[in-house]
């Protein structure tokens, strides 16, 4: 009986640890709301006086409101990395993989813009971070949606 209760206690402790670890991961995920459509897997063109900017987006109805975090991959990450490099001087690879260097560069850019510096790209980052501008067909610096 003692061995059985010890095994149960061990399983309960292990289960509690797993729940706390998973709970922490869930707590750091972007909040679910109607404005955030999904993972940034593309780019979207947004008008700018005399030109446009291309920023991370989803394929969902052309929305630019999406999220990315550590481990994300794809074209949306490529646009984010390009913008972090060009607009914030980040020394990172533009390789479509959101790793630790991209996260650190994103946190630095978020701090510079005075927004929540959590290393997650979501609605707030899309609004306040700078993105590459193209005016008259030429790269013309950086601008933000705000």
């Amino acid at each position: 009986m003692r061995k059985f209760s010890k095994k149960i206690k061990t399983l309960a402790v292990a289960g509690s640890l797993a729940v706390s670890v998973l709970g922490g991961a869930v707590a750091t995920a972007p909040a679910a709301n109607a404005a955030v459509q999904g993972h940034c897997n593309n780019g979207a063109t947004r008008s700018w006086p005399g030109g446009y900017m291309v920023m991370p987006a989803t394929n969902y109805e052309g929305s630019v409101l999406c999220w990315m975090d550590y481990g994300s991959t794809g074209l949306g990450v490529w646009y984010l990395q390009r913008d972090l490099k060009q607009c914030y001087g980040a020394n990172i690879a533009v390789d479509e993989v959101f790793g630790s260097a991209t996260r650190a560069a994103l946190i630095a850019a978020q701090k510079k813009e005075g927004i929540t510096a959590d290393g997650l790209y979501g609605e707030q980052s899309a609004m306040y971070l700078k993105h590459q501008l193209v005016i008259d067909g030429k790269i013309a610096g950086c601008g933000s949606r705000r």
Side-chain angles (χ1 to χ4, degrees), residues 58-76:
T58 68
N59 284 329
Y60 180 83
E61 296 178 8
S63 172
V64 297
L65 302 176
C66 55
W67 59 269
M68 291 182 283
D69 60 6
Y70 188 89
S72 296
T73 60
L75 193 54

Side-chain angles (χ1 to χ4, degrees), residues 44-54 132-138:
T45 301
R46 288 292 177 241
S47 295
W48 185 265
Y52 61 92
M53 70 176 77
V54 180
Q132 182 185 82
L133 291 176
V134 177
I135 299 177
D136 295 327
K138 297 178 183 150

Side-chain angles (χ1 to χ4, degrees), residues 40-111:
C40 301
N41 55 9
N42 209 338
T45 301
R46 288 292 177 241
S47 295
W48 185 265
Y52 61 92
M53 70 176 77
V54 180
M55 55 192 297
T58 68
N59 284 329
Y60 180 83
E61 296 178 8
S63 172
V64 297
L65 302 176
C66 55
W67 59 269
M68 291 182 283
D69 60 6
Y70 188 89
S72 296
T73 60
L75 193 54
V77 176
W78 186 91
Y79 283 112
L80 174 62
Q81 290 170 328
R82 177 206 63 188
D83 294 341
L84 291 170
K85 192 171 184 106
Q86 180 179 328
C87 301
Y88 295 96
N91 185 19
I92 57 173
V94 180
D95 61 3
E96 298 186 18
V97 177
F98 195 126
S100 57
T102 300
R103 185 173 190 277
L106 178 56
I107 289 170
Q110 289 170 326
K111 286 179 181 177

